[in-house]
Amino acid sequence: MAVPSDVEARITDLRARLAYHNHRYNDLDDPEISDADYDVLMRQLGALEEQFPETAAADSPALKVGGAVSATFAPVVHRVPMTSLDNAMDGAELSAWGKRLVRGVGGEEIAYVCELKIDGLAISLRYEGGELVQAATRGDGRVGEDVTANVKTIRAVPHRLMPAGGVGVPEVLEVRGEVYMPLASFEALNAAALAAGERLLVNPRNAAAGSLRQKDHRITDKRSLSFWSYQLGEVRGGPDFRSHHDTLDLLRTLGFPVNPNVRQFTDITGAAEYCAQWQEQRHDLDYAIDGCVVKVDDLAQRERLGFTSRAPRWAIAYKFPPEERTTLMKDIMVSIGRTGRATPFAVLEPVFVGGSTVGLSTLHNQDQVALKDVRPGDTVIVRKAGDVIPEVVGPVLSLRPADSQPWVFPMQCPCPLGSELVRPIGEANIACIEPACPFQRDQRIIHFATRAAMDIEGLGERTVFQLSEAGLVTDAADIYSLTVEQLLQLEGFAKISAERLIAAIQDSLHRPLVKLLTALGIKHLGPSAAEGLSREFGTLDAIMNAGEADLAMTEGLGGVIAASIVAWFAKPANRELIEKLRAGGVDFGNVVVSRLPQILAGRAVVVTGTLQHYSREEAEAAIKGRGGKSPGSVSAKTFALVAGADPGASKLTKATGLGVPVLDDVGFVHLLETGELPAP
Ligand code: IVH
């Protein structure tokens, strides 16, 4: 079959792009695209070359590993090549690989060793007569770079091997593993760079690579790198190994660090579970991982499976979904919050990262924009790690358009009034101080309806904007006089949805006082101080009429919050809102003042999973009602973790690791009754 010309052009283009990105990643330690974007290009090329084998070229990047060898370091020829790994992008690809292998060994069973895929850089250590004689980077897999002096500064790398545990030292031993930078060191390095006004390092992997390839090994020494070993290269005069886990045992015995999370499985299902589990728990470690590596354990089976042109058939990298991508930042705009605060945010070409599509991302404040030096038109790195809010990490400077200009904070409110924005001296935030600003007003209404406040389902940002535009609401109290007929005039509302929203609004009339207090949006008054106030005073009127000194006596509430509350109620516009809410039928105090003994005072009890007798909110209220706290995560200070059905795996592991007692439903009731832990 002839190769269509557009396919040929596409292949040429992909090869050129991959070669370029290989060079940036491996030789310059300054990638322009994320690993995930690189993998996408590589897969596209691989698929086309497979479909049109006649396009094959010996120098195709699809057949190559890593980068070129630089002039800075002496070349080192790897006697056993340092190959790359093929990828599985999900559980289905992993089990398909497992099935292929079983066929490849004539239907025999295959046992696996699973390891974490450390996000660092591969290194080969050569020991002769037990002495570390050479350390080399992977380079192009065949020839790497001599970085011996630098690697010798890494404390986890042994300089001399001693016979141990009845094992002698092989005459020649090549140990392969990953050099990485622990997250704490990475963060410390970046904090120092920030203080010195220097450019921040993008991620721990680049930081490790950059540190290892320093010309001056004294700089490497300061970077606190570490090392995990996971594979052997050339071995002469060593014991006979039958399995991969034998080799890891030897490494451990000789004093090499082997990652403690290595596990053996008797089939691919176990391996798949391991990968899924670590995908969930990847952030519980103090170093970065970007996947897992699944390896055939039996070395005789490995022999029979062999290699493709690029990688062994007997191992595969299970890649986690990307948490970092590159994308175009089309613009920087400013949003106005309910207190008038003006927050710059990035408008991005939407990109799928960390499990969701990100189109907008906050840039926090003027100083952050300047520090990151991001400009409209920049290609930027976007990160969304775990449950963390997506963030723009920084620009890819090499892709910056020639005519790019630093961004200037607009000093006019984006609302139709266009009032002047101000930055009070000594503050990091610029704000709109116009009391009539319609953008602030809309945000106050949106906040009023949020889950932590009056919890009105269906009254989100979009609907509030619609209502405000139609002139149906000018403050939060107006929502209580809305009618189904009025909603029906708005786009997107039908009878059922309009009735449902009105019902949700009516339902919110009887929320507990703590929710109403939160909904008012008083500066500094968060849910936990609101909780204390509502327990102490019982009604909104009592709080409104209390003096600053009385308020400040409330537990968990200091002078600053007390002053802010008094100032808020002193404003006529706010008094008016309160009276409008009262007239609308909002309940100002359906709170029973807590008379419970404060047996959990000062104790933190974390709740996870589904409990039999309490909803999450009820469980937390029961803890707080007894003087305790119920934070969202486990730490060394946690008194107990209450775990119902389907608990969060990371909370459970963390609690067990820290020795925090874990209670079931019965144990929880005991705790609420006595303030004591149940007998183990
Ligand atoms: S085994 C032939 N094990 O991932 C087997 N590699 O894309 C070679 N990596 O170049 C590698 N953790 O830099 C292996 N536990 C692990 C690993 C690991 C990280 C890196 C290594 C390798 C790349 C493959």
Side-chain angles (χ1 to χ4, degrees), residues 65 81-87 115-123 138 176-178 229-231 290 292-293 295 307 311-312 314-315 317 319:
V65 176
M82 290 181 81
T83 55
S84 175
L85 290 176
D86 280 336
N87 295 332
E115 298 171 9
L116 302 180
K117 187 168 182 314
I118 316 293
D119 201 6
L121 71 155
I123 207 88
R138 184 170 75 174
R176 268 97 197 251
E178 203 82 354
S229 58
Y230 50 64
Q231 199 71 38
D290 60 342
C292 298
V293 182
K295 300 174 178 177
F307 288 77
W314 42 261
K319 288 272 206 144

Short mmCIF file of all heavy atoms in Angstrom, two decimals, residues 65 81-87 115-123 138 176-178 229-231 290 292-293 295 307 311-312 314-315 317 319, ligand 1:
data_model
loop_
_atom_site.label_atom_id
_atom_site.label_comp_id
_atom_site.label_asym_id
_atom_site.label_seq_id
_atom_site.Cartn_x
_atom_site.Cartn_y
_atom_site.Cartn_z
N VAL A 65 16.00 5.89 22.66
CA VAL A 65 15.83 6.14 24.08
C VAL A 65 16.60 7.41 24.42
O VAL A 65 17.76 7.53 24.07
CB VAL A 65 16.46 4.98 24.88
CG1 VAL A 65 16.39 5.26 26.35
CG2 VAL A 65 15.80 3.67 24.52
N PRO A 81 22.81 -2.30 27.52
CA PRO A 81 22.12 -1.05 27.20
C PRO A 81 21.08 -0.67 28.27
O PRO A 81 20.52 -1.54 28.93
CB PRO A 81 21.42 -1.34 25.87
CG PRO A 81 22.06 -2.57 25.35
CD PRO A 81 22.65 -3.32 26.50
N MET A 82 20.88 0.64 28.44
CA MET A 82 19.83 1.11 29.36
C MET A 82 18.60 1.44 28.54
O MET A 82 18.47 2.54 28.01
CB MET A 82 20.31 2.34 30.12
CG MET A 82 21.40 2.02 31.13
SD MET A 82 21.92 3.49 32.01
CE MET A 82 20.64 3.65 33.25
N THR A 83 17.73 0.46 28.44
CA THR A 83 16.56 0.66 27.57
C THR A 83 15.48 1.47 28.29
O THR A 83 15.53 1.67 29.50
CB THR A 83 15.94 -0.68 27.17
OG1 THR A 83 15.66 -1.38 28.37
CG2 THR A 83 16.87 -1.48 26.29
N SER A 84 14.53 1.87 27.49
CA SER A 84 13.37 2.56 28.03
C SER A 84 12.28 1.52 28.31
O SER A 84 12.53 0.32 28.18
CB SER A 84 12.92 3.57 26.98
OG SER A 84 11.74 4.18 27.40
N LEU A 85 11.10 1.97 28.70
CA LEU A 85 9.99 1.03 28.92
C LEU A 85 8.81 1.41 28.04
O LEU A 85 8.59 2.60 27.77
CB LEU A 85 9.53 1.09 30.38
CG LEU A 85 10.47 0.54 31.45
CD1 LEU A 85 9.89 0.79 32.83
CD2 LEU A 85 10.70 -0.95 31.22
N ASP A 86 8.04 0.44 27.62
CA ASP A 86 6.77 0.74 26.97
C ASP A 86 5.77 1.14 28.05
O ASP A 86 5.93 0.78 29.21
CB ASP A 86 6.25 -0.48 26.20
CG ASP A 86 6.96 -0.62 24.86
OD1 ASP A 86 7.46 0.41 24.36
OD2 ASP A 86 7.04 -1.76 24.34
N ASN A 87 4.71 1.84 27.63
CA ASN A 87 3.74 2.36 28.59
C ASN A 87 2.39 1.66 28.50
O ASN A 87 1.96 1.29 27.41
CB ASN A 87 3.46 3.84 28.33
CG ASN A 87 4.69 4.68 28.56
OD1 ASN A 87 5.54 4.31 29.37
ND2 ASN A 87 4.78 5.78 27.85
N GLU A 115 6.80 -2.23 41.17
CA GLU A 115 7.60 -1.18 41.81
C GLU A 115 6.99 0.18 41.51
O GLU A 115 6.21 0.32 40.57
CB GLU A 115 9.03 -1.22 41.25
CG GLU A 115 9.73 -2.53 41.53
CD GLU A 115 11.06 -2.66 40.79
OE1 GLU A 115 11.52 -1.68 40.18
OE2 GLU A 115 11.61 -3.77 40.82
N LEU A 116 7.37 1.16 42.30
CA LEU A 116 6.95 2.53 42.00
C LEU A 116 7.84 3.07 40.88
O LEU A 116 9.02 2.75 40.82
CB LEU A 116 7.09 3.40 43.25
CG LEU A 116 6.29 2.92 44.45
CD1 LEU A 116 6.50 3.86 45.63
CD2 LEU A 116 4.80 2.82 44.10
N LYS A 117 7.24 3.87 40.02
CA LYS A 117 8.04 4.50 38.97
C LYS A 117 8.47 5.87 39.49
O LYS A 117 7.68 6.82 39.50
CB LYS A 117 7.23 4.63 37.67
CG LYS A 117 8.07 5.11 36.52
CD LYS A 117 7.31 4.94 35.22
CE LYS A 117 8.10 5.36 34.00
NZ LYS A 117 8.79 6.60 34.07
N ILE A 118 9.69 5.91 39.97
CA ILE A 118 10.20 7.12 40.60
C ILE A 118 10.44 8.19 39.54
O ILE A 118 11.02 7.91 38.50
CB ILE A 118 11.54 6.82 41.32
CG1 ILE A 118 11.47 5.51 42.11
CG2 ILE A 118 11.99 7.99 42.17
CD1 ILE A 118 10.56 5.51 43.28
N ASP A 119 9.99 9.40 39.80
CA ASP A 119 10.12 10.46 38.80
C ASP A 119 11.45 11.20 39.01
O ASP A 119 11.50 12.30 39.57
CB ASP A 119 8.93 11.42 38.92
CG ASP A 119 8.73 12.21 37.64
OD1 ASP A 119 9.44 11.92 36.65
OD2 ASP A 119 7.88 13.11 37.64
N GLY A 120 12.51 10.57 38.57
CA GLY A 120 13.83 11.17 38.69
C GLY A 120 14.59 10.90 37.40
O GLY A 120 14.00 10.97 36.32
N LEU A 121 15.88 10.59 37.50
CA LEU A 121 16.57 10.20 36.27
C LEU A 121 17.38 8.94 36.49
O LEU A 121 17.93 8.72 37.59
CB LEU A 121 17.42 11.34 35.72
CG LEU A 121 18.67 11.72 36.47
CD1 LEU A 121 19.64 12.37 35.51
CD2 LEU A 121 18.30 12.72 37.53
N ALA A 122 17.43 8.12 35.44
CA ALA A 122 18.06 6.81 35.55
C ALA A 122 19.58 6.97 35.59
O ALA A 122 20.15 7.84 34.93
CB ALA A 122 17.66 5.96 34.36
N ILE A 123 20.19 6.10 36.38
CA ILE A 123 21.64 6.18 36.54
C ILE A 123 22.18 4.75 36.59
O ILE A 123 21.48 3.84 37.03
CB ILE A 123 21.98 6.97 37.83
CG1 ILE A 123 23.32 7.64 37.73
CG2 ILE A 123 21.91 6.12 39.06
CD1 ILE A 123 23.22 8.99 37.13
N ARG A 138 21.77 7.81 31.55
CA ARG A 138 21.31 6.89 30.51
C ARG A 138 21.74 7.35 29.12
O ARG A 138 22.03 6.53 28.26
CB ARG A 138 19.78 6.78 30.58
CG ARG A 138 19.24 5.77 29.61
CD ARG A 138 17.79 5.50 29.84
NE ARG A 138 16.96 6.59 29.37
CZ ARG A 138 15.64 6.56 29.34
NH1 ARG A 138 15.01 5.50 29.77
NH2 ARG A 138 14.95 7.57 28.89
N ARG A 176 21.47 -0.36 38.49
CA ARG A 176 20.68 0.71 37.88
C ARG A 176 19.61 1.18 38.85
O ARG A 176 19.05 0.38 39.60
CB ARG A 176 20.00 0.24 36.60
CG ARG A 176 20.84 0.51 35.37
CD ARG A 176 21.60 -0.72 34.99
NE ARG A 176 22.70 -0.46 34.07
CZ ARG A 176 22.71 -0.82 32.79
NH1 ARG A 176 21.67 -1.41 32.26
NH2 ARG A 176 23.76 -0.56 32.04
N GLY A 177 19.35 2.43 38.80
CA GLY A 177 18.31 2.96 39.68
C GLY A 177 18.01 4.39 39.34
O GLY A 177 18.44 4.90 38.30
N GLU A 178 17.28 5.03 40.21
CA GLU A 178 16.78 6.37 39.93
C GLU A 178 17.34 7.36 40.96
O GLU A 178 17.21 7.15 42.16
CB GLU A 178 15.24 6.34 40.02
CG GLU A 178 14.55 7.43 39.27
CD GLU A 178 14.40 7.12 37.78
OE1 GLU A 178 14.94 6.09 37.30
OE2 GLU A 178 13.75 7.94 37.10
N SER A 229 17.57 1.89 44.10
CA SER A 229 18.07 0.94 43.10
C SER A 229 16.94 0.00 42.69
O SER A 229 16.09 -0.33 43.51
CB SER A 229 19.23 0.14 43.68
OG SER A 229 18.80 -0.54 44.85
N TYR A 230 16.90 -0.43 41.41
CA TYR A 230 15.81 -1.32 40.99
C TYR A 230 16.16 -2.33 39.90
O TYR A 230 15.30 -3.05 39.42
CB TYR A 230 14.59 -0.51 40.55
CG TYR A 230 14.86 0.61 39.55
CD1 TYR A 230 15.34 0.34 38.27
CD2 TYR A 230 14.60 1.93 39.90
CE1 TYR A 230 15.57 1.36 37.37
CE2 TYR A 230 14.83 2.96 39.00
CZ TYR A 230 15.31 2.67 37.74
OH TYR A 230 15.54 3.68 36.86
N GLN A 231 17.43 -2.38 39.47
CA GLN A 231 17.73 -3.27 38.35
C GLN A 231 19.24 -3.50 38.28
O GLN A 231 20.00 -2.67 38.76
CB GLN A 231 17.25 -2.58 37.06
CG GLN A 231 17.06 -3.49 35.86
CD GLN A 231 15.86 -4.41 36.01
OE1 GLN A 231 14.84 -3.99 36.54
NE2 GLN A 231 16.01 -5.64 35.57
N ASP A 290 5.52 8.87 38.95
CA ASP A 290 4.62 9.17 37.85
C ASP A 290 3.95 7.91 37.32
O ASP A 290 3.33 7.91 36.28
CB ASP A 290 5.32 9.96 36.74
CG ASP A 290 6.49 9.19 36.14
OD1 ASP A 290 6.98 8.25 36.78
OD2 ASP A 290 6.92 9.55 35.03
N CYS A 292 3.74 3.20 37.96
CA CYS A 292 4.32 2.00 38.56
C CYS A 292 5.05 1.25 37.46
O CYS A 292 4.74 1.44 36.28
CB CYS A 292 3.24 1.10 39.14
SG CYS A 292 2.28 1.87 40.46
N VAL A 293 6.00 0.40 37.84
CA VAL A 293 6.64 -0.45 36.85
C VAL A 293 6.31 -1.90 37.21
O VAL A 293 6.51 -2.31 38.35
CB VAL A 293 8.17 -0.24 36.82
CG1 VAL A 293 8.80 -1.11 35.74
CG2 VAL A 293 8.50 1.22 36.59
N LYS A 295 7.11 -5.78 36.44
CA LYS A 295 8.20 -6.57 35.83
C LYS A 295 7.93 -8.06 36.01
O LYS A 295 7.49 -8.47 37.08
CB LYS A 295 9.52 -6.22 36.51
CG LYS A 295 9.92 -4.76 36.40
CD LYS A 295 11.17 -4.45 37.22
CE LYS A 295 11.54 -2.99 37.04
NZ LYS A 295 12.70 -2.62 37.87
N PHE A 307 13.34 -8.62 23.88
CA PHE A 307 13.20 -7.17 23.72
C PHE A 307 12.56 -6.81 22.39
O PHE A 307 12.69 -7.55 21.42
CB PHE A 307 14.59 -6.52 23.73
CG PHE A 307 15.24 -6.51 25.08
CD1 PHE A 307 15.82 -7.68 25.60
CD2 PHE A 307 15.29 -5.36 25.84
CE1 PHE A 307 16.43 -7.68 26.85
CE2 PHE A 307 15.90 -5.35 27.09
CZ PHE A 307 16.47 -6.51 27.59
N ALA A 311 12.49 -1.49 23.83
CA ALA A 311 12.24 -1.77 25.25
C ALA A 311 12.09 -3.26 25.49
O ALA A 311 11.80 -4.02 24.57
CB ALA A 311 10.97 -1.05 25.68
N PRO A 312 12.27 -3.69 26.75
CA PRO A 312 12.05 -5.11 27.04
C PRO A 312 10.57 -5.45 26.92
O PRO A 312 9.72 -4.59 27.18
CB PRO A 312 12.51 -5.25 28.49
CG PRO A 312 12.40 -3.89 29.08
CD PRO A 312 12.63 -2.93 27.96
N TRP A 314 9.37 -7.74 28.83
CA TRP A 314 9.03 -8.31 30.13
C TRP A 314 8.76 -7.26 31.22
O TRP A 314 8.62 -7.60 32.39
CB TRP A 314 10.13 -9.25 30.59
CG TRP A 314 11.53 -8.76 30.34
CD1 TRP A 314 12.34 -9.11 29.30
CD2 TRP A 314 12.27 -7.83 31.14
NE1 TRP A 314 13.55 -8.45 29.39
CE2 TRP A 314 13.53 -7.66 30.52
CE3 TRP A 314 12.02 -7.13 32.31
CZ2 TRP A 314 14.52 -6.81 31.01
CZ3 TRP A 314 13.00 -6.28 32.80
CH2 TRP A 314 14.23 -6.12 32.16
N ALA A 315 8.74 -6.00 30.83
CA ALA A 315 8.42 -4.96 31.83
C ALA A 315 7.59 -3.89 31.16
O ALA A 315 7.68 -3.69 29.94
CB ALA A 315 9.68 -4.35 32.41
N ALA A 317 5.69 0.19 31.96
CA ALA A 317 5.43 1.30 32.87
C ALA A 317 3.94 1.60 32.84
O ALA A 317 3.39 1.88 31.78
CB ALA A 317 6.22 2.53 32.43
N LYS A 319 1.45 4.20 33.52
CA LYS A 319 1.55 5.65 33.72
C LYS A 319 0.28 6.20 34.36
O LYS A 319 -0.82 5.90 33.90
CB LYS A 319 1.74 6.33 32.36
CG LYS A 319 3.11 6.10 31.77
CD LYS A 319 4.06 7.18 32.26
CE LYS A 319 5.18 7.37 31.27
NZ LYS A 319 5.63 8.71 31.13
S1 IVH B 1 13.18 -0.43 35.17
C1 IVH B 1 14.68 -2.41 31.52
N1 IVH B 1 12.13 0.41 37.42
O1 IVH B 1 11.49 4.83 34.12
C2 IVH B 1 14.11 -1.78 32.73
N2 IVH B 1 12.60 2.01 35.72
O2 IVH B 1 10.59 4.78 31.11
C3 IVH B 1 14.51 -0.39 32.86
N3 IVH B 1 12.07 4.32 36.36
O3 IVH B 1 14.50 4.81 32.34
C4 IVH B 1 13.89 0.42 33.86
N4 IVH B 1 11.36 3.89 38.39
O4 IVH B 1 14.38 6.16 34.54
C5 IVH B 1 12.58 0.75 36.20
N5 IVH B 1 11.24 1.03 39.47
C6 IVH B 1 11.69 1.36 38.27
C7 IVH B 1 11.70 2.70 37.82
C8 IVH B 1 12.16 3.00 36.53
C9 IVH B 1 11.60 4.84 37.50
C10 IVH B 1 12.39 5.13 35.16
C11 IVH B 1 13.76 4.89 34.60
C12 IVH B 1 13.53 4.37 33.22
C13 IVH B 1 12.17 4.91 32.91
C14 IVH B 1 11.45 4.05 31.87
#
